[in-house]
């Protein structure tokens, strides 16, 4: 299982992100609408990390890495957040996601994708969008 945490911190240091226990209280904020500046989810296999990013960012799979060691990879998604799939595209391409990822068609699966797209949309105005990926050394 590979854990992915999407973060939209106002500011951060790489040291804060590469600790064994991510110091969320240092980089996560509560927005005025009550949402947190983090979204966490899992994908089943390492290969699905690349498939996931390619799907969510409309084919963009070459993403800048800030860090990649010891089963921890940190991506800077700030430059691709405007490429995020729309809710309509998600609905129309969801079956393609299931086929590419090998995941089953469940409410949890679709809900996870809705949450991720919603998180990115809510945080487009923020300077930073990062992905902290644990459980793999390369995506």
């Amino acid at each position: 299982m590979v854990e992915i945490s999407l973060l939209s911190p106002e500011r951060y240091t790489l040291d804060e992100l590469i600790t064994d226990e991510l110091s969320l209280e240092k980089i996560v904020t509560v927005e005025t609408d009550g949402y947190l500046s983090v979204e966490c989810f899992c994908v089943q296999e390492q290969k699905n990390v690349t498939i996931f990013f390619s799907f969510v960012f409309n084919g963009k799979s070459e993403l800048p890495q800030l860090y990649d060691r010891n089963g921890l990879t940190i991506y800077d998604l700030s430059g691709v957040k405007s490429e995020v799939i729309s809710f309509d595209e998600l609905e129309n391409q969801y079956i393609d996601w299931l086929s590419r990822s090998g995941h089953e068609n469940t409410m949890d699966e679709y809900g996870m994708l809705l949450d991720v797209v919603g998180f990115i949309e809510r945080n487009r105005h923020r300077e930073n969008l990062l992905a902290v990926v644990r459980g793999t050394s390369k995506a």
Side-chain angles (χ1 to χ4, degrees), residues 2-137:
V2 180
E3 177 186 304
I4 302 174
S5 299
L6 296 180
L7 307 165
S8 61
E10 294 285 332
R11 53 192 153 291
Y12 67 92
T13 66
L14 198 52
D15 287 340
E16 290 172 330
L17 299 174
I18 61 175
T19 61
D20 286 337
E21 292 298 320
L22 188 58
S23 285
L24 294 180
E25 66 275 356
K26 292 182 180 178
I27 56 176
V28 174
T29 59
V30 177
E31 301 300 319
T32 55
D33 57 8
Y35 288 102
L36 293 176
S37 60
V38 64
E39 181 71 34
C40 299
F41 57 97
C42 294
V43 294
Q44 293 175 353
E45 300 177 45
Q46 181 271 335
K47 69 178 181 128
N48 283 348
V49 174
T50 302
I51 294 168
F52 170 81
F53 285 135
S54 179
F55 179 76
V56 169
F57 293 109
N58 282 306
K60 306 281 188 224
S61 59
E62 295 295 320
L63 304 170
Q65 291 183 359
L66 301 176
Y67 185 86
D68 186 9
R69 279 186 225 131
N70 303 322
L72 173 67
T73 306
I74 301 172
Y75 296 96
D76 184 353
L77 308 177
S78 305
V80 296
K81 61 187 169 192
S82 64
E83 303 293 327
V84 69
I85 194 170
S86 71
F87 290 114
D88 288 338
E89 290 170 320
L90 173 58
E91 184 176 342
N92 293 330
Q93 296 175 26
Y94 178 63
I95 298 302
D96 180 49
W97 162 252
L98 295 175
S99 174
R100 290 167 51 186
S101 68
H103 291 188
E104 292 184 25
N105 183 10
T106 65
M107 290 300 291
D108 286 344
E109 186 70 16
Y110 192 69
M112 179 269 298
L113 290 169
L114 285 173
D115 288 346
V116 167
V117 171
F119 175 82
I120 296 167
E121 285 292 339
R122 281 192 313 277
N123 289 285
R124 270 190 185 205
H125 69 283
R126 298 183 69 122
E127 184 176 345
N128 300 304
L129 179 63
L130 308 173
V132 178
V133 180
R134 294 184 187 280
T136 181
S137 60

